[in-house]
Amino acid sequence: MIRTANPTDIPVIHALIRELAAYEKEPQEARATPEQLHEALFGEHPGAYAHIATDDTTGEPVGFALWFLNFSTWRGVHGIYLEDLYVRPTARGTGHGKALLTELARICAARGYERLEWSVLNWNTPSIAFYKSLGARPQDEWTVYRLTDDALSTLAGN
């Protein structure tokens, strides 16, 4: 079962983010606080959205998708950028990841969005195989660049 996250889900979303960071071998980078997540998802001007995957039997959360809108200047419409997709190891292979992506695809279709995009670590071959099985294709001609921490501060003139 997939449902839209609500404010009471903040603790589980926070926990799932930390689990994802550990899986991606970067636990120290997961610095978001529950308060920051609440503001981003449910504050006065939310800029992100989340869906929760729950166990069909117990109703317990087993995964999540956290996303935001992007915009294609070439197509002239919004799309969805999937920031995080994570399903707990005990629930993998049971359709929760596909169900989360299906829900985001449905949102795209209903709203006229023409893209659903995300990034995946090159070493994460199980996820890459899963995404390819759904028809997703890597954008190999693009390289992601990122400014953070000192480099971002330096460029900003701080």
Side-chain angles (χ1 to χ4, degrees):
M1 178 176 165
I2 306 301
R3 63 175 174 76
T4 302
N6 63 62
T8 64
D9 291 313
I10 292 297
V12 75
I13 292 170
H14 187 253
L16 290 166
I17 289 170
R18 297 194 54 76
E19 289 176 33
L20 172 61
Y23 173 77
E24 292 185 349
K25 302 174 176 95
E26 296 280 350
Q28 72 283 357
E29 293 299 319
R31 298 181 285 193
T33 66
E35 295 77 19
Q36 288 172 315
L37 293 171
H38 186 275
E39 183 63 25
L41 294 166
F42 305 107
E44 186 175 344
H45 302 289
Y49 309 91
H51 285 79
I52 304 292
T54 59
D55 181 275
D56 295 338
T57 305
T58 66
E60 290 297 312
V62 295
F64 81 115
L66 196 144
W67 56 277
F68 55 89
L69 295 180
N70 60 14
F71 185 80
S72 170
T73 56
W74 288 17
R75 293 189 176 214
V77 296
H78 283 292
I80 287 178
Y81 187 85
L82 175 60
E83 179 65 21
D84 285 331
L85 174 72
Y86 179 73
V87 175
R88 288 184 162 142
T90 57
R92 291 185 188 149
T94 58
H96 292 94
K98 183 176 180 180
L100 285 162
L101 286 169
T102 298
E103 180 62 19
L104 298 185
R106 287 181 182 144
I107 292 168
C108 286
R111 298 181 186 178
Y113 303 162
E114 296 186 11
R115 290 182 180 167
L116 172 54
E117 297 179 314
W118 61 91
S119 297
V120 61
L121 291 165
N122 292 333
W123 60 259
N124 193 347
T125 54
S127 293
I128 291 168
F130 167 63
Y131 298 143
K132 285 183 176 181
S133 78
L134 298 176
R137 296 291 165 245
Q139 301 298 297
D140 295 334
E141 67 274 11
W142 294 90
T143 300
V144 175
Y145 283 84
R146 179 178 296 157
L147 284 169
T148 62
D149 304 324
D150 291 342
L152 180 61
S153 183
T154 299
L155 184 60
N158 297 336

